[in-house]
């Protein structure tokens, strides 16, 4: 799914079909029409962390806008060939998955679900799909915020382990497929 044919499959709904507990979700190429949903998803995840500091709502909104723009530009610059996908359930966008190909792995640039769709096995199902595609490259890599316990638990449960890279804010996690005969 996360290869050069994804663009060819962009209109093929079944190509992005992923079984999840209780049903299916679909991955499709993010489009310009998804901009407001993607911003709202980012706002939902970011605002709560900013509120902890006690900032006024107007300041929080301005910070979210600036962070969103900086994040989008940074991702475009760092991962120009990444696959930007919207996750849908019953025709409604519920999340985002951004994956970039590397020579020896697939890199999960970002995965985010609306809070109402978290803790239901959707993220794990999506990651198992990424892992299946990443196995032929040598594995999957991801950076997770050190305080994001739910994501860290999910990645560890799926067999990811911490690498030596950490910067105080993010931990690098890596999964490698089992070597046959080892």
């Amino acid at each position: 799914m996360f290869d050069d044919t994804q663009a060819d499959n962009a209109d093929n709904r079944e190509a992005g079909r992923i079984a999840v507990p209780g049903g299916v979700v679909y991955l499709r190429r993010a489009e310009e029409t998804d901009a407001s949903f993607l911003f709202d998803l980012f706002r939902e995840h970011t605002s709560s962390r900013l509120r902890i500091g006690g900032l006024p709502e107007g300041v929080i909104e301005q910070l979210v806008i600036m962070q969103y723009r900086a994040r989008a530009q940074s991702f475009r610059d760092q991962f120009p060939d990444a696959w930007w996908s919207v996750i849908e359930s019953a025709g409604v966008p519920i999340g985002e998955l951004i994956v970039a190909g590397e020579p020896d792995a697939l890199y999960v640039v970002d995965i985010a679900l609306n809070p109402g769709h978290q803790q239901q096995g959707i993220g794990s199902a999506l990651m198992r799909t990424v892992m299946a595609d990443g196995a032929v490259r040598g594995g999957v890599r991801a950076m997770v915020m050190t305080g994001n316990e739910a994501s860290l638990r999910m990645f560890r449960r799926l067999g990811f382990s911490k690498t030596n890279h950490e910067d105080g804010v993010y931990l690098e996690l890596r999964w490698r497929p089992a070597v046959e005969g080892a």
Side-chain angles (χ1 to χ4, degrees), residues 104 138-140 159-160 163 174-179:
D104 66 341
V140 177
F160 283 74
T163 69
R174 176 84 187 217
W175 170 84
R176 295 184 198 286
V179 178

Side-chain angles (χ1 to χ4, degrees), residues 16-20 23-27 87-90 94 122 125-126:
R17 184 179 200 272
I18 299 171
V20 299
V24 296
V25 296
Y26 295 89
L27 279 182
I87 306 156
E88 288 186 343
S89 176
I94 64 165
I122 296 170
L126 290 164

Side-chain angles (χ1 to χ4, degrees), residues 142 155-156 158-164 172-176:
F155 279 104
R156 288 181 182 127
L158 291 169
F160 283 74
S161 56
K162 190 173 104 173
T163 69
N164 291 329
E172 182 182 63
L173 303 173
R174 176 84 187 217
W175 170 84
R176 295 184 198 286

